[in-house]
Amino acid sequence: MRHPVRYLCILLLSCAASLSLQNALAWDSAGHRVSAAIANHYLSDETRRELLRILQQHPRYREDFLDQMPNSVASGDEQEQFDWLLGQAAFWPDITRGLPEAQRSRYNRANWHYIDGAWLRGAASIQGNSYIGAAPFADIAGTTVYQEAAADNVMTALDFNSALLADQQAPLPQRAVALCWVLHLIGDIHQPLHVGSLYSARHFRTGDRGGNGVETDQGNLHARWDRALRDEGIRDSFNAALTRHSETLAGLTAQNAGDWSVWMNESRALLLNTVYTEEMKTTIARVDSGNGQLPAFELDNDYVETMKYHAGMRLALAGRRLALWLDENL
């Protein structure tokens, strides 16, 4: 059994080391590492061994993993090193944005991190776009895909990478890259601003790009949700998730761990009901009518606390579902 205090200190060090690399596309480095830590808390020892075996065959294992490992982790025991490696793997798809061009074009897939709000499949039977004075788009009927060329959003990217990772006959380097994407995308699909956008008649005719176009007092709305738990850090976020949501996490079973459309539907409900406030919608409608310019919205304490609560819940669910899927399929 791992020593809990030592384990959490390692998580904090790993977060600090990776935050300097770049801005994340969805949950920031701390967020992705929290979901990986929660997954690791539930994983079987057999699955941990298999994950390490696969990850060690990653084509950039030396450059992006071993060479980036903090000395304090590298000098620790194997469990501490695995803790850090799993978090690094969950964050790695964002690291690919900063690779040299040849490597970036090989590994970076910008459109895998999100999905069009009109795209429907399975349990996600309601659009994730919020429309203000604009006619809703026609529904897009999505299908399951198993070829990389056909993967063009977070749902189909999960289809492709999960199938590749679970394929015992596939080359290990390919499975290792797929492992990073599965760890990352299960986190991404739980972020509400990655499953839809806001459209209005004039100001956001082409959409607000998942909240990126809505400014707040401390950055755009998308960024605020991405880094919702950064101030709390990994230690407090990890402890809070396991304490506050323990009954919910314990109640999940393997049946909850294979339908991405259920997770997307949950995120869309949060997007439509919580992320965009009535003040935001009313102000956007007024600006659309020609009255003034869109201001930066001040997120009050109630909004921020609600955002932190839901971010913690979403990351906790992502981590538990990761563990269930990995234990079931590897």
Side-chain angles (χ1 to χ4, degrees):
M1 178 178 291
R2 64 167 62 92
H3 190 289
V5 174
R6 193 178 187 189
Y7 168 62
L8 289 169
C9 288
I10 293 299
L11 286 174
L12 287 169
L13 286 170
S14 66
C15 175
S18 59
L19 277 174
S20 62
L21 290 175
Q22 58 186 46
N23 294 325
L25 280 170
W27 304 113
D28 66 6
S29 172
H32 280 294
R33 288 179 180 277
V34 167
S35 65
I38 292 169
N40 194 23
H41 177 81
Y42 289 101
L43 287 172
S44 69
D45 289 339
E46 181 180 2
T47 299
R48 290 191 185 99
R49 288 191 292 270
E50 180 64 4
L51 288 173
L52 181 59
R53 184 182 78 89
I54 295 171
L55 189 58
Q56 286 174 332
Q57 299 303 310
H58 194 287
R60 291 187 57 84
Y61 188 65
R62 168 61 61 182
E63 302 97 319
D64 296 341
F65 293 84
L66 295 185
D67 289 350
Q68 303 301 320
M69 184 180 289
N71 291 334
S72 57
V73 178
S75 62
D77 60 32
E78 292 181 356
Q79 184 58 64
E80 292 167 356
Q81 292 170 14
F82 178 76
D83 293 338
W84 187 88
L85 289 168
L86 195 67
Q88 184 77 346
F91 183 56
W92 182 80
D94 283 347
I95 292 175
T96 64
R97 298 171 62 202
L99 296 178
E101 173 57 32
Q103 296 295 303
R104 185 167 66 249
S105 61
R106 181 178 178 184
Y107 297 116
N108 184 40
R109 300 289 182 271
N111 61 352
W112 282 7
H113 297 261
Y114 63 93
I115 192 164
D116 188 310
W119 202 95
L120 307 178
R121 190 174 88 188
S125 58
I126 298 175
Q127 285 197 27
N129 290 331
S130 182
Y131 298 98
I132 301 174
F137 297 147
D139 292 344
I140 300 172
T143 59
T144 304
V145 306
Y146 298 103
Q147 300 297 321
E148 182 172 5
D152 61 359
N153 60 52
V154 66
M155 286 280 285
T156 54
L158 271 170
D159 294 339
F160 165 71
N161 285 286
S162 62
L164 177 56
L165 175 57
D167 184 357
Q168 301 291 328
Q169 304 305 312
L172 280 175
Q174 293 181 21
R175 294 180 69 198
V177 171
L179 168 60
C180 295
W181 278 106
V182 168
L183 292 169
H184 188 88
L185 295 176
I186 288 181
D188 278 3
I189 203 169
H190 283 77
Q191 210 277 41
L193 283 161
H194 275 248
V195 297
S197 294
L198 182 146
Y199 291 83
S200 71
R202 295 179 60 188
H203 193 80
F204 289 124
R205 284 180 296 176
T206 58
D208 74 337
R209 295 172 291 116
N212 278 287
V214 177
E215 291 299 323
T216 79
D217 50 324
Q218 297 182 41
N220 68 61
L221 189 63
H222 187 112
R224 293 293 296 273
W225 278 82
D226 280 353
R227 62 175 190 263
L229 301 181
R230 181 180 294 183
D231 290 343
E232 280 65 30
I234 293 179
R235 174 185 293 183
D236 289 344
S237 298
F238 178 83
N239 284 335
L242 295 182
T243 301
R244 181 180 290 174
H245 308 301
S246 58
E247 291 188 13
T248 299
L249 300 182
L252 297 181
T253 67
Q255 291 180 330
N256 305 114
D259 188 350
W260 334 130
S261 72
V262 171
W263 312 345
M264 182 167 73
N265 194 53
E266 294 170 352
S267 292
R268 284 183 168 176
L270 187 56
L271 178 78
L272 296 174
N273 298 323
T274 302
V275 173
Y276 295 109
T277 66
E278 289 305 313
E279 178 193 2
M280 292 176 188
K281 296 175 184 177
T282 300
T283 302
I284 292 169
R286 188 184 73 242
V287 171
D288 265 14
S289 68
N291 295 316
Q293 296 182 333
L294 194 64
F297 295 97
E298 182 174 355
L299 303 185
D300 62 26
N301 289 337
D302 287 344
Y303 185 98
V304 171
E305 290 305 311
T306 298
M307 176 180 68
K308 289 179 179 179
Y309 173 84
H310 285 297
M313 170 66 90
R314 299 307 289 158
L315 287 167
L317 287 171
R320 182 68 180 114
R321 286 161 169 167
L322 266 168
L324 287 165
W325 190 90
L326 292 168
D327 278 341
E328 183 75 10
N329 290 279
L330 294 186

